[in-house]
Amino acid sequence: MTKAGLVLFNGKYINITPPPCLAPPIFGSHSVCQGTAISLADVDTGGTWVSSNTTVAIVGSASGIVIGITPGNDTITYTSPLACVNTFTVTVNTAPAPISGLDSVCAGATIILNDAVTGGTWSSSNTLKATIGSVSGIVTGVVAGTATITYLTSAGCLATKAITVNATANPGT
């Protein structure tokens, strides 16, 4: 015979405390860039996800997909179908500004690209068409074609810009 968490044992009611709910760990990245998404997962599927601060990040209640809104920290809570609860801290990092500078360069010439977020590195998707100084942002046209220039911040956020490399003009034409 039981009575609201109590069990009758040898003529006395004994309070029975259920074992603690052991929520499985949450898997996924602890950081996301502003305006991008990451996916969180829990082995105990079918629960619900909630963000503690929707001005910093939002999370799909059934999907676990977190979208960074503004820089800061947010606590994401997962409640399993058995009502076990686990939390996970996500940091939203500042997205770089759009890359500024010209969109084209002649083969053999240079242009300078900039980003307002300092401390990142530059790279080219096609160094056969255009190279870029990893720290300087100076693009050198190699041969006619296109290359995507990427600026990667120290927090792992990126911005891209397509650069067209034009053939050099023929002298005397």
Side-chain angles (χ1 to χ4, degrees), residues 120-151:
T121 57
W122 298 92
S123 63
S124 171
S125 68
N126 189 344
T127 57
L128 298 176
K129 303 294 181 184
T131 61
I132 187 163
S134 64
V135 177
S136 67
I138 298 174
V139 177
T140 302
V142 178
V143 297
T146 60
T148 300
I149 302 298
T150 300
Y151 182 73

Side-chain angles (χ1 to χ4, degrees), residues 98-104 111 113-114 122-123 125 147-151 159-164:
I99 296 170
S100 62
L102 297 173
D103 294 338
S104 64
I111 59 172
L113 299 180
N114 292 294
W122 298 92
S123 63
S125 68
T148 300
I149 302 298
T150 300
Y151 182 73
T160 61
K161 182 176 186 98
I163 298 293
T164 301

Side-chain angles (χ1 to χ4, degrees), residues 40-65:
L40 300 181
D42 192 288
V43 295
D44 191 5
T45 60
T48 57
W49 300 88
V50 177
S51 166
S52 70
N53 188 346
T54 56
T55 62
V56 173
I58 57 174
V59 62
S61 63
S63 67
I65 295 174

Side-chain angles (χ1 to χ4, degrees), residues 67-85:
I67 299 172
I69 305 297
T70 58
N73 293 318
D74 188 14
T75 301
I76 305 296
T77 301
Y78 178 75
T79 304
S80 77
L82 299 174
C84 297
V85 175

